Amino acid sequence: MKLSKLLLSTVVASGLMAATSLANAAGDITVVSWGGAYTKSQVEAYHKPWMAKTGNKIKSEDYNGGTAEIKAQVEAGNVSWDIVDVELSDAIRACDEGLLETIDASELPDGADGTKAADDFLEGTLHDCAVANIVWSTIFAYDSSKIKTEDGPKTVADFFDLEKFPGKRGLRKNPKSNLEFALMADGVAAKDVYEILGTDEGIDRAFKKLDSIKDSVIWWEAGAQPPQLLADGEVVMTTAYNGRIFNAVAGEDKPFEIVWDGQIWDLDLWVIPKGSKNKELAMDFLKFSTGTEPLAAQASYISYGPARKSSGPLVGKYHNKDIDMGPQMPTAPDNLTNSVQNNFEFWADNQDQLSERFNAWLAG
Amino acid sequence: MSETVLAQQNSDAILSTDGIPLKQKLARTTRKLRMRAFLLTLPLVLFLVVSFVLPIGQMLWRSVNNPAGSNVLPVFAELIQDWDEQGLPDEPVFEAFVKDLQNAREKREIGKTVGNLATRVNYEMPGTRSLFTGTGRKINKVTEGPYKEALLKINKKWDDPVIWRTLKRVSRDYTPAFYMAALDHKYDDQGKMVPADDLYQIYVSNFGKTLWMSAIITFFCFILAFPVSYLLSTLPMKASNLLMILVLLPFWTSLLVRTTAWIAILQTEGVINDILVFIGLVANDSRIQMIYNQTGTIISMVHILLPFMILPLYSVMKTIPPSYMRAARSMGGTPINAFRRVYFPQTIPGIAAGTLLVFILSIGFYITPALVGGEDGILISNLIAYHIQKSLNWSLGAALGAILLVIVLVFYWIYNKLVGIDKLSFG
């Protein structure tokens, strides 16, 4: 009896010691994402469980996209970001420029149902330097307390119809997604958007369409702005990331309505800047957070679709309300009827030139 | 005659106690003193070199430096220079190109990747990035010649001589391309300089706008500052001290705070619009847009730069004795005449200092137009920031910065000719 007690206490004590030494060995990593409701969903679904599991700490930082900070840090040889949530076209470009660590997709864990990672991830979500976590979408939304839902906008063309729906519009201050949006509103079929945008006439056509509402546009840059613009009554409708609008509706009871027609969906991916001081830990976090359960868990905080097929069946309701998350996802069949996937190759090729023209157009 | 005098003087030169001619000794001592004085300023000199000369030098260098070609394609960059630009380059050039690409792909060194080359070429030939990066991904499949055919098999677009002409330009160590872009010019397919398409012209007009808005801001600052400075310099001590604090208090407040205060005041849901709607001057749904445009930039910049006009004016006016005006009046001058011919000319050094300060500060202003300028109220510094922070075309940003520097220097020079820098008085 006594002996077993002694044994037990020794085991407990050594266990404690091991735990403390583990905690001492544990490190901090800096995880950078887009802020607001989106970062919050990641904190709940990825950060907290990972910190609880490994004893490491996470410093969470916000940014507004783009690769400027990564480039500056890598070129200065002082990398303080360990893992960053980026858009696909930025991931590809930064990878090509050698700014990112390569990621071996075969190291990723299998899905919860036993599917190999390579088969479990949706097509096009695994890249040399990046692993996707979610599918998100640019949609437009309006305030149903100002415009009644019955006669509210139904199609992307309505967004550009100032006569039927007078008032200010919110658009992202970036040619990306605005040009696609304009073409679809001008009657171009979703599947032809990039083909037409590849011609000079197509670009002219898109800018001409944007011209028709230019004087009524308020430009936004951070993802948290559009719901705020709607709530403040600064705009009657605005493009936005679908999860931000959903969270304003579900979390803050705002009377916003999403119009899925003409949605432009895209991926967000984790990348590790080259020369990260905590590469191993960052990689561990990446593997953990893109696992079946964390991805499914994130979907209960924000309406972004998980990048793994095996997460799909686990997606349930909003974390504290009786709202089915499935139909809120960009990938829900009803939402995909008239939609286009952001063409990263087109934007990698044309971003510089089109930004130049977009800036000239804005200032003119 | 004069020679003998000189000789006599030499032999009679006054010697110091240790036998060295006094003149020499004096020169030695003053040199020592001068050295010591210089040593005292050494920290400042070093500081200026590190914080001023080096960064500007680096900026100027970056605006013409063109390392992508020779970094990524070291062998090819030399070979292509001998190409006569007719048809396609020869097989050895293609071989060097393929091998250099394979090398770059393998090493993946920062700043020397296929992606860096693709980005650089894409500046001059938009739409080619994926040709380079896509080829880069497949380039390791090519193991033997003929390399030209192998490359064309990967992508037919390599058949275009324009790409090779562009590559030849990109492979030179120095380039005027960024200055051309900064002045709304580009290379055409033949490699000649032509103006950029109208729809892509942005920089020259923005330089013009920056100068024009700076002039307007300087003018308003002057109009507002002159009476205030006059009051400051003539009021009794107690009242003028209070007024001075009112001028200095905003001056000591953070730029960011003052700009955001203007946002709160001027925005469509802001204080002024609320008041106008409340008293019924403006309908609720047609509130006036006073911010996020040129008006907003001008209003807030005038406010922020006003002290830079008031203070030099005040310090000069303070030195003008009031008796001058009284004398002019007593000799029969009308108040206007006395002001125009006696008082005003004496304030010119202050006006000169104030306008120069405000004008040059506005040319390079960044934070305020970024926050309240919207789309048409942004200045050239915002475009420079865009290229440094967003598009990552640092070389173009550097070229724009260098042009801005030249403009400021030219203005300084004109100013010196017109007013004379020695006449400036900051008090």
Side-chain angles (χ1 to χ4, degrees), chain A residues 33-48:
Chain A
S33 188
W34 299 69
Y38 181 52
T39 292
K40 191 166 171 283
S41 74
Q42 293 181 329
V43 168
E44 296 293 336
Y46 309 162
H47 299 200
K48 284 182 181 169

Side-chain angles (χ1 to χ4, degrees), chain B residues 21-36:
Chain B
L22 192 60
K23 221 175 181 177
Q24 219 172 320
K25 175 97 177 167
L26 187 69
R28 219 177 270 174
T29 329
T30 47
R31 202 187 312 136
K32 228 182 241 168
L33 280 173
R34 237 182 274 142
M35 277 297 284
R36 211 179 292 162

Side-chain angles (χ1 to χ4, degrees), chain A residues 67-68 74-75 93 95-97 100 129 173 219 221 274 348-349 352-353 355-357 359-360 362, chain B residues 108 110 113 115-116 119 122 126-127 129-130 133 137 199-203 269 375 386 389-390 392 394:
Chain A
T67 51
V74 172
E75 293 200 345
R93 181 171 169 176
C95 188
D96 281 335
E97 294 193 5
L100 304 175
C129 310
K173 199 172 175 178
W219 301 97
E221 286 179 82
K274 196 171 200 167
D349 272 356
D352 291 330
Q353 185 201 15
S355 295
E356 201 110 297
R357 172 148 176 191
N359 288 340
L362 273 182
Chain B
R108 253 180 127 254
I110 296 163
T113 62
N116 292 113
T119 302
N122 205 50
R129 184 201 300 278
S130 59
T133 53
R137 273 180 221 116
L199 293 164
Y200 295 85
Q201 297 215 355
I202 178 166
Y203 305 112
E269 308 286 323
E375 279 64 56
Y386 169 80
Q389 295 169 345
K390 294 259 170 73
L392 303 186
W394 290 355

Side-chain angles (χ1 to χ4, degrees), chain B residues 143-204:
Chain B
T143 46
E144 55 186 3
Y147 292 93
K148 188 191 274 186
E149 274 157 44
L151 199 60
L152 288 178
K153 217 172 122 196
I154 291 179
N155 197 324
K156 273 208 304 282
K157 288 184 190 159
W158 290 113
D159 200 13
D160 185 357
V162 179
I163 291 177
W164 299 100
R165 261 178 236 137
T166 311
L167 270 174
K168 184 176 172 182
R169 280 201 307 273
V170 168
S171 299
R172 294 188 185 123
D173 287 339
Y174 298 96
T175 176
F178 298 113
Y179 281 98
M180 283 167 52
L183 295 168
D184 290 331
H185 280 67
K186 61 168 188 180
Y187 288 108
D188 68 0
D189 288 351
Q190 307 308 316
K192 291 203 184 66
M193 191 170 87
V194 291
D197 197 63
D198 277 348
L199 293 164
Y200 295 85
Q201 297 215 355
I202 178 166
Y203 305 112
V204 172

